Amino acid sequence: MSLLLSNLTVATMTDGYGLIPDAAVLIEGDRIAWVGPRALIPGPYDTLPPVDLGGRLVTPGLLDCHTHIVFGGNRAEEFEMRLNGASYEEVARAGGGILSTVRATRAATEAELLEQSLSRADQIIAGGATTIEVKSGYGLTVADEWKMLRVARRIGELRPVTILTTHLAAHAVPPDYKNRPGGYIDEVAIPSLRAAHSEGLVDAVDAFCEGIAFSPEDVERLFAVARDLGLPVKLHAEQLSDLKGAILAARFGALSAEHLEYLGPDGVVAMAKAGTVAVILPGAFYTLREKQLPPIAALRAEGVPMALATDCNPGSSPITSLTLTMNMACTLFRMTPLEALQGTTTHAARALGLSDRGTIAAGQRADLAIWNAQHPAELSYRVGATTLHSRIFGGQIDA
Ligand code: DI6
Ligand code: FE
């Protein structure tokens, strides 16, 4: 099957935006066969009837490289309680916080969890995503983490999107391990990882390295198991304090370290040396009304690639829009619109260890986003607008 797209502006993302005005893109099967100026369409293909895109902008399909979209229930009531003046303790006593999501996720059947999670996946897809990473971490038992990862895999079977799964049993300390997070790592998180991996449910391993979650020593034991299993690692690091998680992640050759508001200069250098991507999550910064900015200028100066993601989760980032995330990165963090688009394309692909997507070039997967826009800066500029026209996933135009 050959498909010729014509009358478009393409941002190939191969060198900066890599803009080609009045371009054409040729697709063979699920791959891009050729991209260039319309006047130069190669020989046998110039007689194919083209799909006219009306001068629209085409970018690589977006990648959301950090999400927690599989969870039960939501935390809107807790949001309202807080805004009515309830303290953190009052919210927790009323059953709020991350553990309320754990209870709701455990209580949901696999079918219920799938239904709730699919609606969030659909929203991210409707914003131009063709690849979504999905983390576990609201089950916190072997069986419930397994259920979450199965649901994540099902999303990829039911929708035109690539799903990558990340095992995040080391997300929170459940009540029965309250004063011994290390025991939870050894008795639940590591056995859960081994079990889920043996079922083919794990593409990468993550942990929350923080005072309220797991220490660098706990994370290191988990990462050592991941290394033995041949799985890539990544880390929620320096979100609330500087525990030197990014340095630990870099030492394990991590794909990425994520959040990073409290990342110090030593962490930036370690990440640059290891080639670890910085995943920047403005949705959580915004929702938590964080004041500490991630060290964007230092990351930029050291040449650390910066990816952007929604971090979609019920507590700290109930957001499903990648273009709103890009807008927040520009407005809150002073990233440029080019950096924002690299953050959801080339650098997000790298954060996921994928080299077959994130740019538009011959041989890459034919995952494309077609926008009601002319210039890529428009994607970051509008606040919460839905500018997607349509997507192409693996060479198939969305119905
Ligand atoms: N950092 C976060 O901001 C979320 N998880 C994490 O590791 C919070 C998740 C939640 O509150 O449900
Ligand atoms: Fe997260």
Side-chain angles (χ1 to χ4, degrees), residues 13 17 59 62-63 127 280 282-283 308-310 319 321-345 371 376-382:
M13 304 309 289
Y17 285 131
T59 69
L62 304 186
L63 298 90
I280 304 295
L308 283 176
T310 60
I319 172 176
S321 169
L322 273 170
T323 46
L324 180 55
T325 299
M326 290 161 66
N327 173 267
M328 287 176 171
C330 293
T331 302
L332 299 172
F333 298 162
R334 312 312 288 166
M335 286 173 67
T336 66
L338 170 60
E339 287 172 331
L341 188 56
Q342 288 170 328
T344 53
T345 57
W371 304 93
E378 291 179 52
L379 305 183
S380 292
Y381 157 71
R382 296 205 175 82

Side-chain angles (χ1 to χ4, degrees), residues 164-175:
L164 273 83
T165 57
T166 298
H167 182 269
L168 178 60
H171 187 200
V173 185

Side-chain angles (χ1 to χ4, degrees), residues 83-107:
L83 287 164
N84 281 309
S87 68
Y88 186 83
E89 286 70 30
E90 284 164 331
V91 170
R93 253 186 281 119
I98 190 165
L99 293 175
S100 78
T101 300
V102 172
R103 277 194 304 276
T105 303
R106 288 178 178 175

Side-chain angles (χ1 to χ4, degrees), residues 68 75 98 101 138 171 208 236 239 259 284 288 311 313-316:
H68 310 247
R75 309 238 285 274
I98 190 165
T101 300
Y138 290 114
H171 187 200
F208 187 22
H236 282 69
Q239 181 184 4
H259 285 285
L288 298 174
D311 192 17
N313 77 67
S316 68

Side-chain angles (χ1 to χ4, degrees), residues 69-81:
I69 56 172
V70 174
F71 60 82
N74 68 64
R75 309 238 285 274
E77 284 177 37
E78 157 183 340
F79 177 71
E80 186 163 37
M81 275 178 76

